[in-house]
Structures are given as structure tokens and as C-alpha cells.
Amino acid sequence: MDGKTRANIKPGMLVNIVLKKDQRSGTLTEGIVKDLLTSAAFHHRGIKVRLQDGQIGRVQEIIEDDF
């Protein structure tokens, strides 16, 4: 599942995000969602989230859905 639709993403999910510094290379960072930062229902580059470790980036894919 991709991370472009806000309704698909909930706190506690395991996701891959792309950090601002990694946008050119496309390197993904895995983590657990703490907060959703994008208020729009859809974003073409991915919903922006804060991970539990404090890193912020846009969701590229949802790895595990615990709900």
C-alpha cells in the first residue's frame, strides 16, 4: 500500500519514509508512525509523518498494518 492517502496511515504502523535529505537518492528509512503532519486527505509525494524516533519524512510505503 502506498502512503499518499492520509486515511491509510495511522499511528503505530510500520512504514518506509523518505527523509528530506534523501529525496534525491530515494533512500528509505523504516520506522513506526508517531504523528501525522499532513492535514490534507491526499498528497502526491506522500503524507508527511513523524516517526517515534523523531525523524520526519513522507511515507512511501506501508509495511505493516496492525489494525
Side-chain angles (χ1 to χ4, degrees):
M1 200 176 342
D2 74 4
K4 296 180 181 183
T5 306
R6 193 177 198 275
N8 293 342
I9 303 167
K10 305 272 187 284
M13 287 182 152
L14 184 63
V15 297
N16 275 332
I17 66 168
V18 64
L19 303 172
K20 183 80 171 177
K21 69 180 181 73
D22 294 332
Q23 283 178 345
R24 284 180 176 255
S25 67
T27 302
L28 298 177
T29 302
E30 187 175 296
I32 296 173
V33 176
K34 180 179 179 184
D35 301 309
L36 280 74
L37 304 178
T38 299
S39 59
F42 178 84
H43 193 285
H44 67 284
R45 286 194 309 266
I47 300 297
K48 190 178 279 189
V49 297
R50 177 182 294 118
L51 300 180
Q52 287 184 341
D53 63 5
Q55 296 185 95
I56 295 173
R58 295 196 181 273
V59 177
Q60 300 303 299
E61 56 187 359
I62 297 168
I63 300 170
E64 189 177 288
D65 183 347
D66 288 338
F67 296 94

